[in-house]
Amino acid sequence: MRCTCHIVPADVLRRLAQDASLSQDTQRAFIDTAKVDVEQRRIRVQAVKLTMVAQATAQTVTALAPAPALSLYDCNHTQNLPGTPIANPPASADQTARNVSATTSDVADFYATVFKRNSIDDGGMTLLSSIHYGIKYANAFWNGLQMAYGDGDGLIFTDFSQSNDVIAHELTHGVTQYTLQLNYTNEAGGLNEHLSDCFGSMFRQWKANQTVAQADWLIGKDIVGPQAQAKGLTCLRDMANPAGAHCIGPQITHFSQYKAGMDPHYSSGVPNLAFHTICMAVGGQSWDKVGQVWYRVMTTSGAKPAMRMKTFANRTRSAASQLYPGDTALSQAVDAGWKQVGL
Ligand SMILES: [Zn+2]
């Protein structure tokens, strides 16, 4: 099965759907989530095609607003998108509404402050999100048009809006759709997932004002439910240790382990580890230099739907010396970090 723009990979959902240690009710939640994800994937493919056509015909991107407007909808546990509009999300009695509203605004602020980017399309596009998607829906997604968050089954995953890196991960899928336009298959899919984890983690670190040494580098730490925690699971993924047994979705760590057709949530472990290694070698804060190098490659390469990992790695090598000429420590760190994962 092809990967999607969801945060939880399909085979983790299938594994949990068959996990006899879970109640039938919980297993049912994962079966339902997996079914819904197939449908959302079809919608995303169509939305990406529309973006490509729109970008090809547009002469310039005209900023619609200096900062993006946010609109939030409540699915009320249905699968109807976007759902019912929530009038004033920051003042809502619903904690999920307040959460998503505040964090989405923070992610927009992160992109504007750190990368001078005005929303997903750099043209002030309204950020549309829906909460309480489905019944015990155990995932979050970008469907090409909007973000949506499930409440989780409550035992393996809690409310997906609780982890701020999850929100930044989904929003970054939108940024990728408007920049590199990476596919969700093969190496490009792995890069697509990587960029979402990478900017998701950077956002989390920026929000907490952490150095690379202080950061935990975990993805989805705050959505791990009590039953998963009881099994020693502490995150969905770990950029510092992608193959760790504490990850709900452990990943590969070297390009030699990559196989064509692999779920991008697994192959993204290779660039995830390279990014972490490079950041640790450079020190300081991830978004200061290494993040700028990544963003430059993401936004100056044009549409590269079938980009190879080696191409991305080489472009970061070039971008590092272009952005920071004479910074040999940075250039060497970028080169060594990629070599360590076989790229
Ligand atoms: Zn994703």
Side-chain angles (χ1 to χ4, degrees), residues 3-224:
C3 167
T4 75
C5 46
H6 301 86
I7 192 135
V8 180
D11 86 320
V12 166
L13 297 173
R14 284 196 296 271
R15 175 171 23 101
L16 290 165
Q18 291 164 8
D19 186 338
S21 73
L22 301 175
S23 71
Q24 284 197 340
D25 192 35
T26 302
Q27 288 183 47
R28 168 60 55 188
F30 287 108
I31 291 167
D32 290 346
T33 299
K35 275 186 194 159
V36 170
D37 290 1
V38 173
E39 193 49 45
Q40 285 301 324
R41 189 173 304 129
R42 290 198 193 105
I43 294 170
R44 196 202 67 82
V45 169
Q46 291 307 315
V48 167
K49 282 181 188 161
L50 287 172
T51 307
M52 287 175 170
V53 170
Q55 288 211 325
T57 53
Q59 293 298 314
T60 52
V61 175
T62 308
L64 300 173
L70 269 53
S71 61
L72 190 60
Y73 292 79
D74 190 341
C75 290
N76 291 303
H77 307 289
T78 70
Q79 293 168 13
N80 302 325
L81 287 171
T84 314
I86 300 173
N88 184 8
S92 172
D94 183 339
Q95 197 209 327
T96 302
R98 293 199 304 275
N99 234 351
V100 172
S101 157
T103 304
T104 305
S105 172
D106 286 347
V107 178
D109 189 26
F110 165 70
Y111 268 106
T113 307
V114 178
F115 302 108
K116 309 286 178 266
R117 185 176 191 84
N118 182 5
S119 189
I120 281 176
D121 63 346
D122 202 21
M125 171 184 171
T126 296
L127 299 172
L128 205 163
S129 310
S130 298
I131 57 173
H132 303 308
Y133 178 84
I135 297 167
K136 294 190 176 185
Y137 177 71
N139 223 335
F141 61 81
W142 162 261
N143 72 354
L145 303 166
Q146 70 157 98
M147 292 152 282
Y149 304 94
D151 295 335
D153 61 290
L155 295 172
I156 302 297
F157 292 111
T158 58
D159 179 352
F160 276 73
S161 74
Q162 297 299 310
S163 220
N164 65 359
D165 55 319
V166 171
I167 291 177
H169 175 109
E170 297 309 334
L171 198 149
T172 301
H173 276 308
V175 177
T176 300
Q177 181 176 318
Y178 279 85
T179 54
L180 288 172
Q181 301 185 15
L182 296 165
N183 293 333
Y184 277 100
T185 49
N186 298 324
E187 292 183 45
L191 287 169
N192 197 327
E193 267 307 307
H194 159 64
L195 289 171
S196 278
D197 278 356
C198 176
F199 284 81
S201 181
M202 270 196 284
F203 164 70
R204 190 176 173 86
Q205 295 170 32
W206 176 79
K207 189 70 190 143
N209 195 27
Q210 291 173 327
T211 64
V212 294
Q214 289 166 332
D216 62 22
W217 296 93
L218 302 177
I219 303 293
K221 182 188 177 206
D222 303 330
I223 55 165
V224 177

